[in-house]
Amino acid sequence: MFVKGFVYKHYDATGLAALIRAKEVTEKEVLLEAITRIEGMNPALNAVIDKAYEAAIKRVDRTPSEGPFAGVPMLVKNINQEWKGALASEGSRVLHHHRAPQDSTYTSLLKQSGMNVIGVTNVPEFALMGFTEPVQYGATKNPWNVNVTPGGSSGGSAAAVASGMVPIAGANDGGGSIRIPAAYCGLFGLKPTRGRTPMGPIRGRAWQGASGDHILSKTVRDSAAVLDVLAGKETTGAFRAPAQPDAYTTSLEKPLAKPLTIAYTVDSPLGTPVDEECRKAVLRTVRWLEAQGHRVEEKAAPVDGLAIAKSYMTLYYGEVAARLTEIESMIGRKVTMRDVETTTWLLGMLGRAITAEEFVLRMRTWDEAAIHMEAFHKTYDLYITPATAMLQAEIGAFQLTKTEELLLQLVSKLKAGKLLLKTDMLDQMITESLERIPFTQLANLTGQPAMSVPLHQTGDGLPVGVQVMGAKGREDLLIQLASALEQSELWVDVHTNPFMKL
């Protein structure tokens, strides 16, 4: 029988695990609550695209779970978080029948911690977009307002957590895919230092080290506790993060050293507009930090924003082209334009047009930026920016018009990738692609940890995130700050969104 006053949606993963350990609720009762919640919310939100309820029920009926998160239900993301037998289509029609042949190290570790994985969340095709509207599975909606996007590429996970389906869900971040949905859905989202969380066992890196896996959560303590489960548990990865001697959960109670020296900017590194609400979110945070006794200075990162964007998009093109080639080996035939979305096909074509020389030169921009940021953090403990430059876009805002679709198809058929690469048109495309989300890619290229913290709401009640970056290996400092902010009047309560009231 449920503990008096138990309301599943109000608990985070740490809280649910504590109730189960104390035998105030059973694993099965919690699981059935999660299933009921998913079935009730998902038709409106389209966050979960593959479910395995029967297997989950059999697991809890068979034997009690063990570990710090014993009995806590969670969802994994439909890319790089393979779960044996579950859908692993990466949001694409070309892989819509593909099922994972084995668990990823990430999923295996979470299962070992006692979590009960019960489904897979929606992603844009190959996790390429900052919104979640794959043609194959349809758009995921935002629980704060179903007319707007929850962001991407971890949009399905963000919508699931923000609506109370599960307390945490798997996410990964190759250019902002944890932080953007966190900002748009009023959640906490931490991208760890490069090499901190596992990539294996079938890969040693994702997106040349730009991408890493973690979760989206309602609370800072859940993020810290899951990082303790994942961190440093893999020896086969291509990268190794700086050692962290203490558990991340110990950072939750540590007071921040004072005064920290903190830099901030509200200006886009691309010189593009930034919404006033996004600026306001940062400036309110700055005032709060100053009131706590910290030194805060307006100072932009010492990097070339357009060069960062170009090097990031070069990675984008190359990774898409490589993935399409890998898929051809998987399915035993050529991938055609009919197999993938038009934008994906164009990105792949650009990837095939880039030379190895160009790719290497752009990758060197990453290392240069990392060197500059390392020096920057000798002076500044933290760097604060808006998480996004613009508010949540309406669902369907980025769908190609028929004219755009035909134009891209024509460019693709003409194999005009090399021509595009030599024109100013590509720079314009890069700027337009990233103008809504220009702040997040830097940390992916440099390998730094960065988080989005829910610290502001618009007049219409939509959440707005603030990004904070730290030096490599300083997730502990980010967690300390986030924990302090979580106790402040700035923190947005995710339980106030319309779906949490249902």
Side-chain angles (χ1 to χ4, degrees):
M1 181 177 292
F2 286 160
V3 62
K4 184 177 180 180
F6 173 80
V7 181
Y8 166 79
K9 65 185 179 182
H10 290 168
Y11 284 81
D12 66 356
T14 303
L16 285 175
L19 288 179
I20 292 168
R21 277 196 301 275
K23 301 187 185 307
E24 296 187 61
V25 294
T26 67
E27 289 185 41
K28 189 167 185 178
E29 287 170 333
V30 170
L31 173 60
L32 294 178
E33 283 288 298
I35 292 170
T36 299
R37 190 96 186 141
I38 292 170
E39 290 303 294
M41 305 290 104
N42 202 57
L45 296 175
N46 192 35
V48 185
I49 57 171
D50 192 36
K51 306 163 188 174
Y53 300 152
E54 290 185 13
I57 291 170
K58 286 179 181 177
R59 281 195 296 275
V60 299
D61 283 342
R62 186 168 57 244
T63 180
S65 302
E66 296 181 354
F69 287 106
V72 174
M74 77 162 295
L75 302 162
V76 291
K77 183 177 175 180
N78 185 20
I79 192 165
N80 289 3
Q81 295 180 358
E82 293 87 359
W83 168 33
K84 187 176 181 179
L87 183 69
S89 68
E90 303 174 28
S92 179
R93 70 172 73 100
V94 75
L95 291 176
H96 75 280
H97 289 308
H98 184 59
R99 296 269 159 179
Q102 63 185 40
D103 284 353
S104 65
T105 305
Y106 171 93
T107 303
S108 178
L109 287 169
L110 291 178
K111 287 164 65 175
Q112 289 172 35
S113 78
M115 288 187 190
N116 198 352
V117 183
I118 60 175
V120 176
T121 60
N122 201 12
V123 299
E125 187 170 51
F126 302 124
L128 294 175
M129 302 298 172
F131 53 94
T132 303
E133 301 178 25
V135 171
Q136 180 65 25
Y137 301 102
T140 296
K141 315 292 178 59
N142 192 317
W144 293 85
N145 179 340
V146 294
N147 297 311
V148 302
T149 182
S153 63
S154 306
S157 291
V161 174
S163 63
M165 295 182 194
V166 286
I168 62 171
N172 39 46
D173 190 318
S177 290
I178 287 176
R179 290 158 289 158
I180 295 163
Y184 282 168
C185 291
L187 299 173
F188 179 66
L190 171 67
K191 182 202 83 69
T193 297
R194 179 178 297 151
R196 182 73 72 201
T197 56
M199 289 284 107
I202 62 172
R203 62 184 68 84
R205 69 181 72 198
W207 282 39
Q208 305 307 312
S211 184
D213 288 74
H214 193 34
I215 61 164
L216 283 159
S217 62
K218 295 188 289 186
T219 62
V220 180
R221 69 177 185 174
D222 274 359
S223 186
V226 171
L227 195 56
D228 282 332
V229 169
L230 296 172
K233 303 298 196 301
E234 184 177 61
T235 59
T236 57
F239 307 98
R240 194 70 62 88
Q244 173 63 27
D246 299 321
Y248 289 105
T249 47
T250 64
S251 300
L252 296 166
E253 304 302 327
K254 287 182 180 178
L256 284 165
K258 292 184 181 179
L260 294 175
T261 302
I262 301 169
Y264 80 94
T265 187
V266 292
D267 296 326
S268 167
L270 298 178
T272 48
V274 177
D275 190 279
E276 188 57 35
E277 295 287 357
C278 300
R279 291 173 176 268
K280 190 183 296 184
V282 169
L283 296 176
R284 291 180 73 222
T285 306
V286 164
R287 289 194 294 272
W288 183 86
L289 288 164
E290 289 173 333
Q292 304 305 306
H294 301 294
R295 293 193 293 260
V296 188
E297 177 184 344
E298 187 168 8
K299 180 78 172 179
V303 296
D304 182 330
L306 184 57
I308 292 294
K310 285 182 176 180
S311 59
Y312 173 72
M313 292 304 293
T314 299
L315 165 77
Y316 220 61
Y317 307 145
E319 287 289 340
V320 175
R323 188 60 184 142
L324 294 180
T325 298
E326 290 171 341
I327 289 170
E328 289 178 345
S329 296
M330 292 170 62
I331 65 177
R333 64 171 177 81
K334 285 286 187 183
V335 173
T336 71
M337 286 180 65
R338 292 188 296 276
D339 290 318
V340 295
E341 296 173 25
T342 302
T343 302
T344 301
W345 185 261
L346 176 65
L347 292 171
M349 181 193 66
L350 290 169
R352 291 188 175 107
I354 291 170
T355 67
E357 176 191 20
E358 289 169 318
F359 193 87
V360 169
L361 289 172
R362 290 285 170 83
M363 288 288 289
R364 287 179 181 166
T365 301
W366 297 28
D367 298 335
E368 292 166 3
I371 291 166
H372 290 315
M373 289 305 293
E374 185 73 17
F376 185 74
H377 283 293
K378 299 293 184 187
T379 302
Y380 301 102
D381 298 294
L382 299 167
Y383 179 48
I384 297 178
T385 74
T388 65
M390 298 183 192
L391 302 178
Q392 299 87 336
E394 290 189 2
I395 298 290
F398 305 108
Q399 285 184 356
L400 297 175
T401 65
K402 288 185 178 180
T403 301
E404 289 170 333
E405 183 90 27
L406 288 171
L407 180 60
L408 289 181
Q409 288 177 6
L410 177 61
V411 168
S412 299
K413 286 176 181 176
L414 293 174
K415 297 182 179 179
K418 288 188 181 297
L419 180 62
L420 274 179
L421 290 172
K422 293 178 180 178
T423 67
D424 292 337
M425 188 186 303
L426 193 62
D427 285 356
Q428 183 179 343
M429 286 172 57
I430 289 171
T431 300
E432 290 178 355
S433 296
L434 298 179
E435 65 179 348
R436 300 187 66 86
I437 48 170
F439 297 103
T440 49
Q441 295 79 33
L442 176 60
N444 298 91
L445 272 57
T446 61
Q448 296 172 241
M451 64 182 181
S452 178
V453 195
L455 299 181
H456 182 59
Q457 283 180 279
T458 68
D460 295 332
L462 288 174
V464 181
V466 172
Q467 178 180 242
V468 187
M469 292 173 58
K472 280 184 183 176
R474 293 311 310 270
E475 291 96 327
D476 60 323
L477 181 57
L478 293 181
I479 289 167
Q480 277 183 277
L481 174 60
S483 183
L485 285 164
E486 194 173 25
Q487 309 309 312
S488 78
E489 69 281 3
L490 297 179
W491 193 268
V492 175
D493 184 359
V494 70
H495 296 97
T496 60
N497 78 64
F499 275 76
M500 277 290 193
K501 296 175 183 178
L502 298 176

